[in-house]
Amino acid sequence: MMKIQSLWKILPTTLIISLGFSSTQAVNAQMVEISANFQPDPMVMSGRSGGNQTSNCGNISSQPSQIIEVKESLPYLRVTLQGSQQSTLLIDGPGGRFCVMPDNYSGKKPEISGFWQAGRYRFYIGELSSGQSDYTLFISQQKSPVK
């Protein structure tokens, strides 16, 4: 009987500690706010691509790689991902979910541009393969692409 009572004293503490660890993963994504004429332009962020979640946009993490808060609608914004030859970009935002794949037109760099409405965008940087690689994400209001 004493062992069961001891277990009930330890179990809540263990549960609280494990919940604390699982919730810290959700805040690993870098949160960035963007308004018109932001500086520096391009804004540059980096991290590791890939993950253990299989999606139509490659292997992604269960948590976003980056979170972008667009404070006001922007008539033009370009997002370019430089990573491996098989890096992908899944964007989950106010207008829906979009998968951007590497292609020959963009030099194997997933890129999307155009009008962006105000709101929160979650970026999942994935890989078509099962591995991971370093990536650099460029966000710009300039129309010329990142070289």
Side-chain angles (χ1 to χ4, degrees), residues 1 6 19 34 42-43 45 48 50 57 68 81 86 91 99-100 114 116 123 145:
M1 190 68 157
S6 296
L19 287 174
I34 294 180
M43 186 176 297
M45 294 169 268
R48 297 278 296 162
C57 202
I68 309 299
L81 173 64
Q86 296 189 338
I91 302 171
C99 178
V100 187
W116 288 62
F123 289 40

Side-chain angles (χ1 to χ4, degrees), residues 7-23:
L7 182 61
W8 284 113
K9 290 179 183 176
I10 295 171
L11 188 60
T13 304
T14 305
L15 183 60
I16 290 169
I17 290 171
S18 67
L19 287 174
F21 282 124
S22 66
S23 66

Side-chain angles (χ1 to χ4, degrees), residues 33-112:
E33 292 183 355
I34 294 180
S35 299
N37 303 315
F38 62 86
Q39 291 296 320
D41 187 355
M43 186 176 297
V44 181
M45 294 169 268
S46 60
R48 297 278 296 162
S49 65
N52 57 6
Q53 301 286 318
T54 303
S55 76
N56 290 340
C57 202
N59 297 302
I60 61 173
S61 172
S62 60
Q63 300 297 323
S65 306
Q66 308 288 336
I67 301 173
I68 309 299
E69 181 80 30
V70 176
K71 300 306 280 178
E72 58 191 274
S73 293
L74 299 171
Y76 183 84
L77 193 67
R78 183 173 29 81
V79 175
T80 306
L81 173 64
Q82 285 185 344
S84 75
Q85 292 287 320
Q86 296 189 338
S87 294
T88 63
L89 175 60
L90 175 65
I91 302 171
D92 186 7
R97 290 175 69 112
F98 302 94
C99 178
V100 187
M101 303 292 257
D103 60 24
N104 290 331
Y105 177 76
S106 63
K108 300 286 184 187
K109 296 180 218 165
E111 184 173 274
I112 187 168

